[in-house]
Amino acid sequence: MRMKLFLQTLFLTLCCQMSAQDLSQSYKDIKNGNPISPCVFCADPTALVYDGRVYVYGSNDHQQFVANGKTGDNNYGAIKSLVVFSSDDMVNWTFHGTIDVNRICSSWGWRFANSWAPSATWREKEDGTKEFFLYFSNSGGSVGVLKASSPVGPWKSPLSKPLIDGDTPGVRPCTWVFDPGVVIDDNGTGWITFGGGDPNAQGNTVLPGNCRIAKLKDSMTALDGQAVSLPAPYHFEASELNMMGGKYVYTYCTSWADRGDWNQYSKRGSYSAPSTCSMCYLVSDDPLNPDSWEYKGEYVANPGSFGFGWGNNHTHLEKFGDHYYLFYHSMMLEQTMKSGASGFRSICVNEVSVNESTQKLSKVTMTTTGTDAVKNLNPYQLQQAETMSTAGGVDYEDFTNITKTPGSNLGNDASGNLQVKMNSGDWICLRKVDFGDNGAKSFTFRTKGSGTLEVRLSQKWAPAVASMSFSSTAYEEHVVSLPLGKCKGVKQVFFVFTDADGVQFDSWQFEEDTPDAIEAVVSDQQSPVEKYDLSGKRISSTSDQRGVIIERYVDGKGVRHSRKHVGAH
């Protein structure tokens, strides 16, 4: 009997292993939250919260990765765009594509070089107008700004040149004019920090003299007065600003310099010297007064200290709901891929304990586990295929064709009608999907191409609860019935393409089983058109909607239709 049970267990194990081997490899474990993207290299995160979602922006390391032929070292020279992700649950992330800064800033001419290390903020004016701002490093020599009326664009350059450069009053002799950090304070005033590099002619190892802060005019696209020096010990790069308890919190990355002269820093208090290339912070209630800034120590060490690759360090603090989160980058994805590439970073996130009244940041440990979900995903809302926790074999349609698809709907060349390209064995995983007590009775997905899609629960090699073959030369919706009782409660959901060759996967939605409801009578009238944004949120009009809008309706024969178009600009 024991031998029989052993053989049965062995057989089932081998079957699972064989099934798993048929699926594309994933470089991010199913149970992990980090990095936020399983397939896009990105770095230098910043974030903002808008309408119940957190939007994360970063340097597009993936552009350099592709330019290098997916090998070699990251020298940042080909990075001329920024990436955008968003989430409302902190475990499933929607990729909104890239912001092609090179095209947007074409009016700059020779003045534009690169787009690194963004910093984002937004405001609502008295007349209800919403304004979003992205400040970015134009290589190491200047700082630019973009502006939009939604967090996903379309973005425009409000200036025909950089906002800040070496000739801006108060900047010289700053070594590197880059890495902006911006905040709008409690009075509605904008502030920007920037600068970095080795000690300038007036500085030293402890106080390199390259950190600057300046007040912004109400337009947010011009300085109000000259920049002043901010005394940050061992300052090197990665500026960001926050407001906490009425005070300004400045975070930055320290240098690789030896710490032997720490005792020369008169404002060190009881703090020991920070570790090399770590993140530290200062606090002030009078930002233009250098003497008002208090050093508060180190809050996170270099990613290499946690086994995620030594390199530069860049973080952003963001409050989402009742929790603070630390966004940072590491080489987690690169380490797993082992492609021969080096220096390609991935954005990650962990929760951080913050005392707002004292501006105390607890030390953060970088982990692959990441964060807990703050809510469950609703499968009965329209969801984009670019939303995922992890995936295997996934690529984004047109992601590598940044210069070949002009006229994007989102204000960038890669993401106008972003799809997910799927081949045989490729799969997508979503965590914390809540089907509720009633469960789902059908599943609708929108694709172009030919293949077979299976819906699996809990494990990627689990038996399919639904399977459907499809074939179309244009985007079409396909509906498949589900066995009642299978899709109930909170599950991990896997979309597995067992047969596909470059299929473009666009969106999906489950339909809830409502056993007590009266079945609708099919009429010859088309149902009202329902409109959604890219996050799947229902919208009532398009008058102030920007970017891509999804319209859905049911025709007189009961057939569902879905189409995308561009909102007002």
Side-chain angles (χ1 to χ4, degrees), residues 1-14:
M1 177 61 70
R2 288 181 179 178
M3 179 58 70
K4 182 178 180 180
L5 290 173
F6 170 76
L7 290 174
Q8 288 176 337
T9 302
L10 179 61
F11 175 75
L12 290 172
T13 302
L14 289 173

Side-chain angles (χ1 to χ4, degrees), residues 57 99 147-155 409-412 545-547:
Y57 308 82
I99 303 169
K147 185 178 178 180
S149 55
S150 90
V152 294
W155 297 93
N409 299 333
L410 290 181
N412 54 77
Q545 184 68 21
R546 301 299 189 268

Side-chain angles (χ1 to χ4, degrees), residues 35-342:
I36 66 172
S37 172
C39 49
V40 177
F41 288 118
C42 45
D44 307 319
T46 187
L48 59 82
V49 174
Y50 173 71
D51 199 21
R53 298 184 72 85
V54 58
Y55 289 83
V56 178
Y57 308 82
S59 302
N60 187 5
D61 277 22
H62 212 88
Q63 188 172 16
Q64 185 73 59
F65 183 63
V66 172
N68 283 11
K70 301 185 178 181
T71 188
D73 296 335
N74 186 2
N75 63 13
Y76 318 122
I79 301 176
K80 300 177 186 294
S81 58
L82 303 170
V83 298
V84 189
F85 291 86
S86 76
S87 177
D88 63 356
D89 60 21
M90 296 303 293
V91 295
N92 298 298
W93 292 89
T94 301
F95 179 51
H96 295 284
T98 60
I99 303 169
D100 188 358
V101 185
N102 183 40
R103 182 185 60 79
I104 296 169
C105 296
S106 59
S107 64
W108 293 17
W110 61 269
R111 294 181 180 89
F112 177 79
N114 297 102
S115 53
W116 308 332
S119 184
T121 191
W122 76 282
R123 66 183 178 185
E124 183 172 0
K125 302 181 75 174
E126 290 184 1
D127 63 1
T129 302
K130 299 177 179 65
E131 295 181 322
F132 296 79
F133 299 92
L134 264 180
Y135 301 80
F136 66 93
S137 304
N138 181 34
S139 191
S142 62
V143 171
V145 59
L146 306 179
K147 185 178 178 180
S149 55
S150 90
V152 294
W155 297 93
K156 296 180 180 179
S157 174
L159 306 175
S160 59
K161 62 180 182 178
L163 167 66
I164 302 169
D165 60 22
D167 293 328
T168 300
V171 170
R172 295 190 189 278
C174 182
T175 304
W176 296 336
V177 184
F178 81 153
D179 280 14
V182 65
V183 74
I184 297 175
D185 68 18
D186 299 337
N187 299 315
T189 302
W191 299 86
I192 188 167
T193 53
F194 59 93
D198 294 326
N200 62 39
Q202 300 175 5
N204 54 55
T205 302
V206 180
L207 293 174
N210 295 315
C211 184
R212 298 289 184 271
I213 186 168
K215 185 179 180 181
L216 290 166
K217 290 185 177 180
D218 184 62
S219 66
M220 298 292 288
T221 60
L223 300 192
D224 187 2
Q226 72 175 33
V228 302
S229 182
L230 197 160
Y234 298 109
H235 175 267
F236 191 63
E237 58 183 346
S239 297
E240 276 284 25
L241 272 172
N242 287 82
M243 288 297 298
M244 293 182 191
K247 292 192 176 183
Y248 302 81
V249 178
Y250 172 69
T251 62
Y252 68 99
C253 179
T254 65
S255 69
W256 297 93
D258 182 81
R259 302 304 199 237
D261 50 4
W262 175 243
N263 289 338
Q264 297 178 20
Y265 177 52
S266 60
K267 299 183 72 173
R268 66 186 182 279
S270 60
Y271 295 102
S272 58
S275 58
T276 56
C277 204
S278 62
M279 298 299 301
C280 296
Y281 69 111
L282 308 175
V283 175
S284 170
D285 57 6
D286 186 10
L288 292 180
N289 177 5
D291 292 334
S292 71
W293 289 94
E294 296 182 54
Y295 177 72
K296 295 292 186 177
E298 175 184 316
Y299 62 92
V300 64
N302 189 270
S305 301
F306 306 100
F308 301 133
W310 292 96
N312 61 7
N313 210 349
H314 199 121
T315 70
H316 173 80
L317 284 165
E318 189 66 35
K319 188 177 183 181
F320 183 44
D322 296 327
H323 303 266
Y324 270 94
Y325 296 94
L326 184 74
F327 292 93
Y328 59 93
H329 65 230
S330 75
M331 260 75 85
M332 287 183 190
L333 191 62
E334 177 192 281
Q335 288 179 332
T336 308
M337 290 181 68
K338 299 178 181 178
S339 65
S342 177

